[in-house]
Amino acid sequence: MRRFCRTATLYSPRWSVARPRPSVQARPTPVHPTRQFNIFSFFNRGGLPGPYNTQSLSSAHAAWIQALNTGRVKDIKQTYTFLTNWISSASPFDASTSTSLPSETDILRMLGIVADSPNPDVSFIRTVLSHSSQVLGHPLTQNYYALLAKALVACGNGQQALSTLVDASQRDVDLDGAAWEPLVACCAQLQDRAGLYAAKERMKAFGVVPTPAVYRHLLDFAFREKTDPDVKSRESLEPLKAEMEANGVLTKPTILTCLLNGYSGIGELEEAARWATEIQNIIAARSDWGEPEPEELEMLQALVTFTERRLGGRHAINILTELRSRGFVPSSSTLSAIIRGKGLDANVASLLALQGEIGVTAGPDAWSILITNALTKGGLPSAMDIYSQATSVLAPSALLCQAIFGARKYMLPDGRTLYDIYQDMLLAETTTLKSTPNSPIHMCKLFEDLLLAMATQHDRLLVPKQLSLLVDMRNRSITFDAPTTVTVLRQLMESSGSYNAAYNLYSNIRSLGSGFTQSAYQEALQTLANLRAEKRASVNFPPSRLFFSIVKDMSDDGFPVGVDTFSMLFARLRQAAVRVQYSELGTAENPNRELLAEVRRAHVLFRLYAAVTPDTSFLNLFMDTYSRIGGFSEAWSIWEEELFPHKIHDGKSISIILDTCGHYGATKEAFVVWKGVKEWEWRSPQNQITPKLWETWIECLCRLDLVEDVRRTLVQELGTPATRTSSDTPAWRLHVTERMASIAVNFKWRSPASEAKKALIYGTAKRLFSDF
């Protein structure tokens, strides 16, 4: 049974401006000061953000270049739109027009940023292509089509990407194999056999020679098929190898690496050994070896790893000795390949021995392998011991720390924290100890692990450190991908300890860039709505200004905003109303005034989104929330102005408004509602008013202390013993009348002579229903 605050107020936000106030307001109280809330200052919308304000074509071009330098996709798209508007309105005779037009280099740079972003905006890329061709006069070369195909592939539209490349080829655009690489890579990754070979046949039809990267994707796919038990028919590798040989790519380092790793991975060691020998022959035939190229180094590492695993470390050392005699200079990466080949058997002793044999000092990658092995075998204490040994000869780096951070244990065995190690790494970056910068990929993973480890502490004192980490990410132009953004956002907001801190964390994560998608906004709204950050139940709800700030950001970024979006907040406010609803009637002041003021603020903010039409369930939620916390006039307004006239109410709407009238002593309004229910014939399939509504009506009459109306309703519905035994009386009606009598008899009457009232109702029910 629900309990309500009895007080009502004069403040009544409307769904439309020109609606009259409800005819009756029960027990009014003075207007709350929150009525003066200035919502227009909250929604002060401008044009471009401050740094990108433009007054001319040249300043619009400068703002676009500035946005390009930041790499923020949202700002790039917005400034480019303003720039094109200026171009369309500029005079062709103006000397500044030609110098302010986007260059082809900058346009391709922009398209590259958009295509590389999570969920790239394909429609924007198409618009840019059209504008570049028709307005700027740039011929659409293969670079344009390649970026469009890359964006389509990233969005999962492989078929459209294939059609785009085919269309470009038919327009005599000279596409090389590199333009087809994203499509082939996507098909291989998704195990799309048909799409992969369709792309390959199209390349052959247009005379495009596949690049080594394309062939590598084809080989990787073929090797995966060989180990997949669900694949019934497998393509032979011989025709593919013959084609690569004919095109002169079979002996490319990337292809040799793929063949060696592929045959080794499927267990065909003899064939793998043959390709290992082929690599050794190629190495032997080359007289001058200096610092190898990346793909050559990858080939050498594959050879060393295979030899290490099959024949032992001594054979790998022999290979390196022979290479050194031909001028090959081993690097720390070469040493890391040998350490990696040893698997879990690699330790500090073997690393130090290798350093002496090949004359190379181990770098962070080799030590990182040892730290990972120690973490696997001995846990975090063992890993920290190896880390301490590593930092005695090397400066802390992201690569060296990644295994420690990957454990996501904020408190370390030696009493320090992960944040302390991060500070050591920052200090090393500013000294001469470090010769190479930390990789953005390693730093991104480090930030992810550190932030998630801090979130597990649920310590609000860590929020300033979390914010400083996010600022450091922004300064380094590092952003998470979409799934990681959602995970980090949710866990940081949940552990923030306050609504303002949660919003600040959201704002800083959003500022990182393009990883903030619609799912991230939905997660931020849901997390903020569900957050319980205050001890007092009367104020344990999120401020609507923060919630609607996120909604505004979501809308500004072009994502749809609907009733479901706002239901997150109002469902949370209703939960708060259920927890704090007041049971002491007759008090002079509404103890839920803070919650009532917040609901009113949220109501006003919601009305600004005129395009969002509330449905029945949303209005029911709103009406129920108001009725529980002293907002009778607002609840009655929703019923009188929105639900009943438009005939969008349902049984739940009627139950809520009858309960509300009963709790607030609104007798006149209750009979108005019940009369409307009868006239509108809100009935069950049996053409009768539903049992639930009859029970609600009886309870409403009891709350209004109308004993005679209760008895009259029971008599009318129970009828005489003769009518009850009639075959025309439905079974459900006998059940509901007994239930109605039970509600009336067992109701806790609050007025004097409650026992006498119970006796009257019981006597009436007993006369009409002998076995009651």
Side-chain angles (χ1 to χ4, degrees):
M1 184 180 299
R2 304 189 308 165
R3 296 180 297 178
F4 293 78
C5 175
R6 192 177 179 88
T7 56
T9 66
L10 287 170
Y11 183 88
S12 181
R14 300 282 182 251
W15 298 99
S16 59
V17 177
R19 297 285 177 83
R21 292 186 179 274
S23 56
V24 175
Q25 298 182 25
R27 298 174 176 84
T29 58
V31 177
H32 196 271
T34 55
R35 185 176 184 176
Q36 305 301 322
F37 179 65
N38 184 6
I39 186 55
F40 299 103
S41 63
F42 176 79
F43 271 75
N44 182 21
R45 298 175 183 265
L48 284 171
Y52 303 120
N53 287 333
T54 61
Q55 302 296 330
S56 64
L57 175 58
S58 59
S59 62
H61 183 268
W64 178 59
I65 295 297
Q66 182 183 355
L68 273 180
N69 294 332
T70 66
R72 282 182 55 99
V73 175
K74 174 188 172 184
D75 292 346
I76 290 172
K77 291 163 58 178
Q78 192 173 10
T79 53
Y80 181 78
T81 301
F82 273 75
L83 176 59
T84 55
N85 291 339
W86 274 107
I87 291 174
S88 62
S89 61
S91 170
F93 302 103
D94 189 349
S96 64
T97 300
S98 59
T99 59
S100 299
L101 294 178
S103 67
E104 185 174 10
T105 302
D106 288 333
I107 288 179
L108 289 173
R109 177 184 166 202
M110 174 182 67
L111 292 177
I113 294 174
V114 175
D116 288 334
S117 64
N119 298 317
D121 190 343
V122 175
S123 62
F124 175 77
I125 295 177
R126 292 186 188 277
T127 301
V128 173
L129 263 63
S130 175
H131 185 265
S132 298
S133 174
Q134 299 177 12
V135 179
L136 302 179
H138 296 158
L140 297 183
T141 61
Q142 75 148 359
N143 294 327
Y144 289 95
Y145 287 103
L147 289 170
L148 176 57
K150 183 178 182 179
L152 287 167
V153 166
C155 294
N157 298 325
Q159 191 59 44
Q160 290 188 33
L162 178 61
S163 301
T164 297
L165 296 176
V166 170
D167 179 62
S169 298
Q170 292 173 346
R171 294 172 182 264
D172 296 328
V173 177
D174 188 16
L175 297 179
D176 58 16
W180 293 79
E181 284 180 13
L183 175 60
V184 174
C186 177
C187 293
Q189 183 179 4
L190 298 177
Q191 299 284 307
D192 184 1
R193 191 173 190 273
L196 182 65
Y197 283 96
K200 182 174 177 293
E201 291 302 318
R202 286 291 187 174
M203 293 174 68
K204 184 178 179 180
F206 291 116
V208 179
V209 178
T211 62
V214 170
Y215 277 124
R216 181 164 187 169
H217 290 306
L218 292 169
L219 283 172
D220 286 339
F221 181 80
F223 281 122
R224 279 200 300 268
E225 274 197 334
K226 283 184 172 292
T227 59
D228 189 349
D230 296 330
V231 177
K232 304 302 180 184
S233 61
R234 298 179 176 88
E235 290 288 332
S236 173
L237 288 173
E238 297 307 319
L240 186 57
K241 288 191 288 186
E243 181 182 332
M244 288 189 292
E245 187 173 12
N247 289 330
V249 298
L250 185 60
T251 56
K252 295 292 185 181
T254 184
I255 299 301
L256 292 172
T257 302
C258 185
L259 289 169
L260 175 56
N261 291 336
Y263 280 114
S264 176
I266 64 176
E268 296 186 16
L269 298 182
E270 294 299 326
E271 188 66 17
R274 186 173 78 83
W275 288 104
T277 303
E278 182 70 21
I279 293 175
Q280 286 181 274
N281 293 336
I282 292 175
I283 292 173
R286 181 169 174 176
S287 59
D288 182 22
W289 275 94
E291 184 66 28
E293 297 294 330
E295 62 272 11
E296 294 173 334
L297 180 59
E298 184 184 16
M299 179 184 69
L300 294 173
Q301 290 176 348
L303 175 62
V304 170
T305 302
F306 175 75
T307 306
E308 169 76 28
R309 290 178 178 175
R310 191 178 186 213
L311 302 175
R314 177 49 52 189
H315 288 77
I317 296 297
N318 292 338
I319 292 175
L320 290 176
T321 301
E322 181 181 353
L323 287 173
R324 291 175 67 185
S325 67
R326 289 175 168 79
F328 173 65
V329 180
S331 64
S332 61
S333 299
T334 310
L335 189 146
S336 299
I338 301 176
I339 291 295
R340 188 176 291 107
K342 290 180 177 294
L344 292 177
D345 294 331
N347 51 41
V348 176
S350 61
L351 177 65
L352 297 177
L354 280 171
Q355 285 187 147
E357 288 193 62
I358 66 175
V360 173
T361 302
D365 49 353
W367 282 101
S368 177
I369 296 170
L370 298 186
I371 295 173
T372 302
N373 288 348
L375 188 64
T376 303
K377 294 190 293 185
L380 194 56
S382 298
M384 287 301 300
D385 290 341
I386 306 296
Y387 176 78
S388 298
Q389 295 182 54
T391 52
S392 66
V393 294
L394 296 172
S397 65
L399 180 59
L400 191 63
C401 300
Q402 64 179 358
I404 302 296
F405 280 76
R408 295 183 182 175
K409 300 291 185 182
Y410 186 68
M411 300 302 300
L412 300 175
D414 58 1
R416 294 190 298 167
T417 66
L418 285 184
Y419 190 78
D420 295 331
I421 296 183
Y422 168 76
Q423 290 293 322
D424 293 342
M425 190 195 69
L426 291 185
L427 180 62
E429 284 186 330
T430 62
T431 65
T432 58
L433 295 176
K434 280 222 25 97
S435 57
T436 57
N438 288 304
S439 163
I441 297 177
H442 293 145
M443 288 300 298
C444 183
K445 186 67 170 65
L446 184 145
F447 280 119
E448 176 190 351
D449 292 333
L450 178 54
L451 288 170
L452 293 179
M454 296 174 82
T456 60
Q457 300 300 300
H458 292 277
D459 185 357
R460 66 174 60 194
L461 298 179
L462 293 178
V463 172
K465 295 180 179 179
Q466 294 167 352
L467 292 173
S468 70
L469 290 172
L470 295 172
V471 171
D472 193 9
M473 285 186 65
R474 186 167 62 248
N475 293 337
R476 296 171 184 262
S477 299
I478 295 175
T479 183
F480 296 130
D481 59 20
T484 305
T485 298
V486 171
T487 302
V488 172
L489 178 70
R490 178 179 62 252
Q491 297 199 28
L492 287 184
M493 291 182 69
E494 288 177 347
S495 64
S496 61
S498 73
Y499 296 114
N500 286 328
Y503 178 80
N504 288 337
L505 288 167
Y506 147 79
S507 181
N508 277 270
I509 295 175
R510 177 177 177 265
S511 70
L512 295 179
S514 56
F516 221 86
T517 60
Q518 183 177 6
S519 60
Y521 279 113
Q522 294 286 355
E523 191 66 42
L525 292 170
Q526 191 68 65
T527 304
L528 183 66
N530 294 336
L531 189 63
R532 288 172 172 80
E534 302 294 341
K535 294 182 178 179
R536 285 195 302 136
S538 60
V539 294
N540 195 10
F541 47 83
S544 54
R545 62 180 176 82
L546 302 181
F547 186 91
F548 278 86
S549 292
I550 300 177
V551 174
K552 179 178 180 294
D553 292 339
M554 183 178 178
S555 177
D556 289 346
D557 280 353
F559 296 113
V561 174
V563 171
D564 292 342
T565 304
F566 300 102
S567 295
M568 301 179 194
L569 175 63
F570 292 112
R572 177 70 183 88
L573 292 174
R574 182 189 176 279
Q575 292 175 7
V578 170
R579 287 185 174 86
V580 303
Q581 55 189 3
Y582 189 54
S583 59
E584 296 296 329
L585 301 179
T587 56
E589 185 178 10
N590 181 4
N592 303 323
R593 58 187 180 277
E594 292 174 278
L595 178 56
L596 180 58
E598 194 62 47
V599 175
R600 287 169 173 166
R601 264 193 294 270
H603 193 165
V604 173
L605 289 166
F606 173 74
R607 288 170 55 206
L608 295 177
Y609 290 86
V612 179
T613 303
D615 56 14
T616 301
S617 61
F618 184 81
L619 293 172
N620 288 346
L621 177 67
F622 223 158
M623 182 169 60
D624 189 27
T625 304
Y626 269 129
S627 68
R628 292 176 182 272
I629 54 175
F632 173 79
S633 60
E634 291 90 344
W636 179 254
S637 298
I638 295 172
W639 166 263
E640 188 181 49
E641 300 176 11
E642 293 298 325
L643 284 166
F644 189 74
H646 301 156
K647 295 187 177 181
I648 60 172
H649 56 287
D650 56 12
K652 187 173 182 180
S653 310
I654 299 170
S655 295
I656 292 172
I657 194 61
L658 287 178
D659 278 348
T660 303
C661 292
H663 281 284
Y664 288 92
T667 303
K668 179 180 177 181
E669 287 78 2
F671 279 94
V672 168
V673 171
W674 190 246
K675 179 181 178 182
V677 170
K678 284 189 170 183
E679 291 177 351
W680 199 64
E681 296 184 347
W682 185 265
R683 300 177 183 275
S684 66
Q686 295 88 352
N687 199 30
Q688 301 287 343
I689 297 177
T690 58
K692 177 63 178 176
L693 290 183
W694 277 115
E695 295 172 12
T696 305
W697 175 237
I698 283 292
E699 187 173 355
C700 177
L701 293 175
C702 293
R703 293 188 186 283
L704 294 172
D705 203 24
L706 301 176
V707 179
E708 293 304 319
D709 288 277
V710 172
R711 297 175 66 195
R712 188 179 304 110
T713 301
L714 290 175
V715 170
Q716 291 174 352
E717 289 310 304
L718 284 168
T720 63
T723 58
R724 289 203 313 275
T725 58
S726 170
S727 59
D728 295 335
T729 304
W732 70 266
R733 184 169 182 177
L734 296 179
H735 169 73
V736 72
T737 48
E738 183 177 4
R739 171 67 182 154
M740 289 163 58
S742 298
I743 291 173
V745 170
N746 295 320
F747 185 78
K748 294 182 179 179
W749 300 87
R750 296 176 180 173
S751 57
S754 60
E755 293 300 324
K757 294 175 182 179
K758 285 186 178 182
L760 282 173
I761 296 174
Y762 179 77
T764 301
K766 191 68 175 176
R767 288 194 302 272
L768 299 175
F769 213 58
S770 58
D771 58 346
F772 179 73

